[in-house]
Amino acid sequence: MGNLASAQCILRLKGTVQDADTREKLSSATVTLLELKKTVETDEQGNFLLEGLCPGNYNLIVSHIGCDPVSLHIHLNDDLTKNIALPHRHNELAEVTVTGAGKQKTTAQVGELKGAELEATRGLSLGEAVKRIAGVSTLQTGNNIYKPVIHGLHSNRVLVLNNGIRIEGQQWGSEHAPEVDPYLANRISVVKGAGSMRYGSDGLGGVILVEPRLLPNVPGISGELNLAAFSNNRQGVISGILEGNSARFRPFSWRLQGTLKRGGDARTPNYWLTNSGNKEVNFSATAGWNTPTKGAELFYSQFNNTIGIFSGAHMGNLTDLENAIERGEPTEFYQQKDFSYTIDRPRQEIQHRLLKVKSFLQTGDIGRLNLTLSGQYNHRDEYDPARSSNSVRPLMRLDLYTLGSELVWDHYHLLGLRGTMGVTANYQYNSYEQRFFIPNYEALNLGAFWIERWDKNKWLLEGGVRADHRKLYNISNNDNSVIFDEKNYTSISGNFGATYRLSTEAQFTMGVSSAWRPPAINELYSDGLHHGVLRLEKGDASLTPERANTIQGNFNFNKGHWLLDWTVYYKDINGFIYLRPGFPYQLTVRGAFPVFEYAQTDARLTGTDLSITYAYNKHLSVLGKVSLLRAKDKLANDWLIQMPADRFEGEVTYTFSDGKFWKESYVKLLAQQVLRQSRTPGTGNIEVKQPDGSTTMASDFAPPPSGYFLAGAEAATTIRWGKQPIQLILGVQNAFNTRYRDYLNAFRYFTDERGRDVSLRVKIPFHKK
């Protein structure tokens, strides 16, 4: 089951207010959610309940006769229980005490990056950041492009939502990273398994939610400045947020955010990767107007990225390509190159614009109507190696326009159920110039969904159904000399999940789902050079939709010194679409490249994610994570290609007591062991000549690389400069400068991964009333 509850405005915040001294339950205490101007009173037992809440950060005011009001800040991404003790008798301002807080897990299996863990990823791309979560790895292209892989599934099977809008970039294949600035996020969540049906049935791998904080409701101006520096590619980042609310016009709030990033060539332990630098210029603006019964929000963001493609991986002829793969190293010419910030050909320049208008209207006491309209524009210029020194034009230019709309009604107490029903519509138009790779096309997507949730005593049940129709039409090349057939796909998805709370410390969840995904435009019709991954790709117009039937179980335990989260999953995917290496290599006017072809089979993916934390005391804790996956081609009775290897990670953290000038200080040792991927197809299409003159057939151009062990460390503290807090995080990755290669990096045929990288992050928050 996807993260159905956390994607909807049906969440509950409940708890008890009591006297801090006598423990007497306080009736008629008021609990106010500032952002929504929503107030409830506690009953005779001191209980309060706030319903119909959206995910996000909130400020809570709790008051009672004879007490000064007290406030606390909460983050809500699921139902939450908070028990609050007020200093009732003293009639003086004091800090609120949260005597207990519990979260009712949904039937979804969710991993999160938040707080200090999120701060430690600042300056990294979204794909690099989320691989800290168990069960998530990355499909990598060179040193700048990271695509999330969840339980072995990626690209068109993983949905990315930026501020509630599904990102519609030119995300074909493995080479196009999500166009999202992670500095915008206050929290990043990864929902594993079939994606939330609210955003489409095609998220068979999962959904990544990039969630900014709510707009401020308290009058004043606040913000933060973030700085980051990395030694490996000499990268610097500066990012800032400024937001405010006026006391004279409380319904109106605003926010501005921006990021500048520039990095040069990355370095392996032995040589620089020439032309592997990157540049980013991103910004966003948000304005909101909210009253208790209605409101609207306008959001605009722009993501601009220039990415260098390692020059040493581009080969001019077949002999050079064969020698490079056999040698596994860049030529001596590239190994002798020095560091540079210059980004030359080959490179990519990407711009992604997103405009969102979201409004809501309270529908009595039981529900809320939401209307969201969005527009996206994705532009990509790809600069192949020039055949002329005077060439300045890109050799491929793509423009993708997307218009989206969603009308949703959330209800939060109707016949004992909470749920959401809605309709979605989406239109896309894609065009290209210069060389062919993806055809011009238009697409229309229509969907309708209905999700309900029942929660009582020890049981939580969730279920939903969704119907989708996708139409691909007007598919052609630029001069209309090739016109492809129109494609229409229609099907239904459904899921059901149940959580049984064994106790307040332990719960067990089981979910089943059946979801489908029509083939994407690149899987059907791509034909040409996929520039960033340096290969020729060929689609197959006869591909049919995938159907994934999934069973997933989770056990969560949190008591005393122990915190355990264990997931087991089984996915049966009929018509699984994948990319397989072809043969022979092909020589084009732009050089020599390996060939990959889209194919289809029936697949079975089974695996487990385990995360265990043991807190020896309040200072010392140990964390261990394991991610295992077995992916089989059922028709060939063989392993599937390009699946993550077994991964083991460990952390030892020592947290210091706060001092007069130092707070929230810790040191952390990190270790990661990735085994060699030994489960690859035993045979394939690639001819390999043996020393005795015979020929064997291999499934890949080179065998999987050896396993590797990486060590790292991290230290953080918050210091006081007068009244100004400053957060510092110092880290080192690949501390021993280990030479290694990752099986999921498309450049593993030619180069090593980057070596030691020392980073420093600085965060300076500020607030002015």
Side-chain angles (χ1 to χ4, degrees):
M1 172 76 63
N3 192 17
L4 305 183
S6 64
Q8 306 155 24
C9 297
I10 61 169
L11 304 184
R12 288 176 176 170
L13 172 63
K14 65 180 182 179
T16 303
V17 180
Q18 65 181 13
D19 188 299
D21 297 317
T22 66
R23 302 297 175 185
E24 177 189 357
K25 308 297 184 185
L26 299 178
S27 63
S28 300
T30 61
V31 181
T32 302
L33 213 54
L34 285 179
E35 282 74 9
L36 303 181
K37 297 181 177 62
K38 203 168 188 175
T39 300
V40 295
E41 284 192 356
T42 56
D43 61 16
E44 292 181 353
Q45 303 301 316
N47 299 317
F48 69 90
L49 172 64
L50 286 156
E51 296 182 295
L53 307 178
C54 303
N57 295 299
Y58 295 94
N59 290 294
L60 206 63
I61 296 290
V62 185
S63 62
H64 190 258
I65 296 174
C67 294
D68 288 320
V70 293
S71 63
L72 67 157
H73 184 81
I74 61 170
H75 179 87
L76 198 67
N77 70 338
D78 207 330
D79 288 353
L80 187 66
T81 300
K82 274 191 176 291
N83 298 324
I84 303 163
L86 296 180
H88 190 244
R89 284 184 173 172
H90 302 302
N91 195 25
E92 60 186 15
L93 183 64
E95 286 190 0
V96 66
T97 302
V98 178
T99 57
K103 187 171 74 170
Q104 292 175 313
K105 300 274 286 185
T106 70
T107 58
Q109 212 268 307
V110 183
E112 295 179 330
L113 284 177
K114 58 185 179 181
E117 200 169 11
L118 179 62
E119 297 299 335
T121 69
R122 294 303 195 191
L124 303 178
S125 67
L126 181 65
E128 291 173 285
V130 296
K131 71 180 182 180
R132 284 193 171 214
I133 296 172
V136 182
S137 53
T138 56
L139 194 65
Q140 193 176 338
T141 302
N143 286 277
N144 293 317
I145 301 171
Y146 295 83
K147 205 145 191 171
V149 180
I150 303 174
H151 292 167
L153 303 178
H154 57 84
S155 302
N156 295 309
R157 300 185 186 95
V158 174
L159 308 183
V160 179
L161 275 78
N162 183 10
N163 197 7
I165 299 297
R166 171 176 167 156
I167 291 294
E168 295 288 356
Q170 293 163 17
Q171 55 188 345
W172 12 90
S174 60
E175 172 243 6
H176 298 173
E179 292 97 352
V180 176
D181 181 358
Y183 275 105
L184 183 67
N186 184 53
R187 176 181 296 244
I188 299 175
S189 305
V190 175
V191 185
K192 303 170 190 173
S196 168
M197 290 191 298
R198 180 162 176 167
Y199 304 105
S201 62
D202 49 346
L204 306 184
V207 181
I208 296 176
L209 303 172
V210 180
E211 304 170 83
R213 69 185 84 181
L214 291 181
L215 286 170
N217 180 267
V218 179
I221 295 177
S222 61
E224 63 184 46
L225 177 66
N226 287 280
L227 306 170
F230 299 81
S231 67
N232 184 280
N233 61 345
R234 303 178 190 178
Q235 175 175 285
V237 187
I238 178 170
S239 182
I241 293 177
L242 190 66
E243 59 187 15
N245 176 272
S246 170
R248 297 180 59 184
F249 193 57
R250 291 290 295 276
F252 178 73
S253 302
W254 56 271
R255 175 183 299 133
L256 298 173
Q257 179 268 340
T259 299
L260 298 174
K261 177 192 290 187
R262 186 179 187 190
D265 295 337
R267 182 170 175 79
T268 72
N270 297 324
Y271 47 85
W272 294 100
L273 297 172
T274 301
N275 197 50
S276 60
N278 69 96
K279 292 190 296 186
E280 277 186 28
V281 181
N282 312 319
F283 64 90
S284 67
T286 312
W289 178 82
N290 288 288
T291 71
T293 57
K294 54 191 172 185
E297 182 178 298
L298 179 66
F299 172 78
Y300 176 79
S301 70
Q302 191 175 121
F303 179 92
N304 302 278
N305 192 14
T306 300
I307 299 173
I309 308 296
F310 174 49
S311 304
H314 269 257
M315 305 298 160
N317 58 63
L318 293 173
T319 302
D320 286 350
L321 176 61
E322 291 172 350
N323 290 340
I325 292 177
E326 184 178 346
R327 186 177 59 247
E329 297 286 347
T331 63
E332 191 173 338
F333 172 79
Y334 287 104
Q335 295 198 36
Q336 291 178 350
K337 285 276 191 176
D338 204 354
F339 172 82
S340 174
Y341 279 107
T342 301
I343 302 177
D344 206 341
R345 289 171 178 264
R347 71 175 187 275
Q348 301 178 355
E349 295 180 359
I350 304 110
Q351 183 181 89
H352 190 88
R353 303 177 190 173
L354 190 158
L355 175 66
K356 180 186 85 168
V357 182
K358 183 177 182 179
S359 59
F360 76 90
L361 176 67
Q362 204 69 25
T363 54
D365 295 329
I366 64 167
R368 167 171 156 147
L369 192 64
N370 304 279
L371 175 63
T372 303
L373 304 174
S374 64
Q376 297 180 62
Y377 168 62
N378 192 279
H379 174 80
R380 173 178 293 269
D381 285 337
E382 297 195 348
Y383 295 82
D384 297 8
R387 284 164 286 174
S388 162
S389 58
N390 296 324
S391 178
V392 295
R393 298 175 60 192
L395 294 185
M396 186 170 73
R397 174 170 290 174
L398 290 162
D399 290 288
L400 178 66
Y401 301 84
T402 304
L403 297 175
S405 62
E406 181 184 78
L407 181 64
V408 172
W409 185 59
D410 296 323
H411 71 83
Y412 34 87
H413 53 75
L414 183 65
L415 303 175
L417 299 172
R418 287 180 286 158
T420 293
M421 54 194 73
V423 292
T424 63
N426 175 294
Y427 166 78
Q428 285 189 322
Y429 171 72
N430 180 76
S431 65
Y432 78 93
E433 296 178 20
Q434 309 292 338
R435 65 172 167 81
F436 182 88
F437 178 57
I438 299 291
N440 304 315
Y441 73 92
E442 293 179 73
L444 180 64
N445 303 290
L446 302 174
F449 61 89
W450 186 10
I451 303 160
E452 293 293 341
R453 185 183 196 195
W454 180 80
D455 186 1
K456 191 171 184 179
N457 301 325
K458 292 188 174 184
W459 285 96
L460 168 65
L461 306 179
E462 288 182 311
V465 63
R466 179 178 179 113
D468 283 281
H469 174 74
R470 178 171 175 79
K471 177 180 180 181
L472 291 168
Y473 59 105
N474 291 338
I475 310 167
S476 68
N477 64 351
N478 271 347
D479 60 7
N480 286 323
S481 60
V482 179
I483 297 177
F484 300 96
D485 292 338
E486 177 182 304
K487 299 284 187 181
N488 284 277
Y489 307 98
T490 303
S491 193
I492 294 176
S493 303
N495 50 18
F496 176 79
T499 294
Y500 181 73
R501 290 179 279 266
L502 303 168
S503 66
T504 56
E505 298 89 8
Q507 66 179 23
F508 176 75
T509 298
M510 177 68 78
V512 295
S513 66
S514 180
W516 73 293
R517 184 184 74 89
I521 190 75
N522 60 310
E523 294 163 337
L524 292 167
Y525 300 120
S526 62
D527 188 7
L529 174 62
H530 201 161
H531 169 265
V533 283
L534 306 175
R535 62 192 181 203
L536 299 171
E537 290 183 5
K538 293 184 180 295
D540 182 348
S542 66
L543 295 176
T544 57
E546 298 177 337
R547 168 65 66 176
N549 300 309
T550 303
I551 302 175
Q552 185 164 302
N554 175 261
F555 179 67
N556 187 272
F557 178 76
N558 185 357
K559 185 177 182 181
H561 299 283
W562 292 95
L563 173 61
L564 180 147
D565 193 88
W566 180 29
T567 296
V568 178
Y569 58 91
Y570 175 95
K571 298 176 187 289
D572 211 62
I573 306 179
N574 296 323
F576 180 78
I577 299 171
Y578 67 106
L579 202 55
R580 66 184 179 193
F583 196 80
Y585 305 118
Q586 285 194 12
L587 180 64
T588 73
V589 294
R590 295 173 179 85
F593 302 96
V595 179
F596 284 74
E597 302 165 333
Y598 282 100
Q600 195 162 32
T601 187
D602 293 340
R604 181 176 63 242
L605 279 66
T606 57
T608 185
D609 303 325
L610 176 63
S611 174
I612 302 177
T613 301
Y614 178 75
Y616 182 75
N617 54 39
K618 67 178 183 179
H619 295 293
L620 184 63
S621 65
V622 179
L623 166 66
K625 291 190 284 189
V626 178
S627 296
L628 307 177
L629 169 66
R630 301 291 180 265
K632 295 282 288 192
D633 181 335
K634 292 168 61 178
L635 298 183
N637 193 26
D638 203 346
W639 300 106
L640 280 172
I641 196 169
Q642 200 73 3
M643 287 291 165
D646 294 344
R647 186 175 298 260
F648 305 85
E649 297 176 72
E651 297 178 8
V652 179
T653 303
Y654 188 86
T655 303
F656 297 91
S657 301
D658 289 346
K660 185 176 181 180
F661 301 105
W662 307 81
K663 291 187 177 181
E664 301 172 346
S665 306
Y666 70 86
V667 293
K668 182 184 293 186
L669 299 178
L670 306 143
Q672 181 187 78
Q673 174 69 57
V674 178
L675 303 183
R676 180 178 183 271
Q677 180 52 285
S678 58
R679 300 171 187 84
T680 58
T683 186
N685 303 321
I686 302 169
E687 295 180 6
V688 180
K689 292 183 179 177
Q690 301 300 312
D692 61 1
S694 63
T695 299
T696 59
M697 303 302 291
S699 61
D700 206 343
F701 299 109
S706 302
Y708 58 86
F709 173 82
L710 301 179
E714 193 175 287
T717 188
T718 299
I719 62 173
R720 286 273 174 184
W721 186 280
K723 294 183 179 180
Q724 177 63 54
I726 301 175
Q727 184 187 67
L728 304 169
I729 302 177
L730 180 66
V732 57
Q733 291 78 45
N734 192 4
F736 301 130
N737 210 23
T738 301
R739 182 182 178 188
Y740 74 102
R741 299 187 183 198
D742 192 279
Y743 177 61
L744 296 187
N745 190 338
F747 279 21
R748 68 178 175 85
Y749 303 122
F750 310 106
T751 72
D752 297 330
E753 300 285 339
R754 69 170 62 190
R756 183 185 298 114
D757 193 9
V758 180
S759 60
L760 175 65
R761 298 174 174 86
V762 181
K763 177 181 175 180
I764 307 172
F766 57 90
H767 178 77
K768 183 179 180 181
K769 293 184 179 179

